[in-house]
Amino acid sequence: MFSIPVTVKNKNAMIDMFETLSHFPKQVMVLKNGDNTVDAHSLMGFLTIDESKPMELVFENEPNEELKQAMSKFTQSA
């Protein structure tokens, strides 16, 4: 498994992240938020996530560079 910590500031940013991930339909991934885990391809699931808590995008396999680049605007800066 491979994971990327992600962060968003509001529900609009959550929808933006969902739309970004929708361009990668063959990638198996889930979004974890505390005890809540949702399918990263489910808009309804995304809307149940509390964006004020830390989130982690978990992949079955390491994502390709195109997906990593697309997600860079949502990754936590060190």
Side-chain angles (χ1 to χ4, degrees):
M1 288 226 215
F2 186 85
S3 66
I4 300 174
V6 292
T7 185
V8 295
K9 294 183 168 107
N10 54 44
K11 288 291 183 194
N12 287 337
M14 285 292 288
I15 292 170
D16 185 22
M17 184 165 57
F18 173 79
E19 289 175 349
T20 299
L21 292 172
S22 71
H23 294 289
F24 302 92
K26 293 184 179 184
Q27 183 72 47
V28 176
M29 57 192 134
V30 295
L31 185 62
K32 288 182 150 189
N33 177 247
D35 291 336
N36 195 5
T37 301
V38 299
D39 179 351
H41 292 107
S42 166
L43 180 57
M44 294 289 280
F46 254 74
L47 296 176
T48 66
I49 295 290
D50 181 356
E51 69 271 3
S52 68
K53 294 183 180 176
M55 290 177 275
E56 179 179 28
L57 196 55
V58 180
F59 300 88
E60 186 174 67
N61 299 309
E62 183 170 356
N64 63 30
E65 288 303 315
E66 183 181 3
L67 177 52
K68 288 179 186 178
Q69 182 65 31
M71 291 306 298
S72 66
K73 66 181 173 180
F74 304 108
T75 57
Q76 298 173 342
S77 48

